[in-house]
Amino acid sequence: MSNEYLSWAKLNYPGDLRGKIEGQVVGPNRMGELFVIRATEYNAETDVTTAHLAYATTEDVEK
């Protein structure tokens, strides 16, 4: 399982979700692809957590 994420694939969530959503599978997108949240960053000024995504592997989906 790779810890690298896609520089263009991000989701923003309200609040501080660091440590709570890593490993979560999201999707599918319009092409049927699934993604997994690999890293998160929290911005206290805006109270927003940015989730960085990677393509989900079979292992990610089977968890």
Side-chain angles (χ1 to χ4, degrees), residues 10-46:
K10 299 176 185 176
L11 294 174
N12 291 315
Y13 294 94
D16 183 359
L17 298 176
R18 293 173 293 178
K20 299 175 186 170
I21 58 175
E22 285 90 347
Q24 182 177 2
V25 175
V26 294
N29 64 10
R30 291 181 181 173
M31 295 184 294
E33 299 166 317
L34 295 174
F35 299 89
V36 64
I37 297 173
R38 290 282 186 239
T40 56
E41 292 177 34
Y42 177 66
N43 183 327
E45 284 186 21
T46 60

Side-chain angles (χ1 to χ4, degrees), residues 43-56:
N43 183 327
E45 284 186 21
T46 60
D47 192 32
V48 170
T49 298
T50 299
H52 299 276
L53 309 177
Y55 289 112

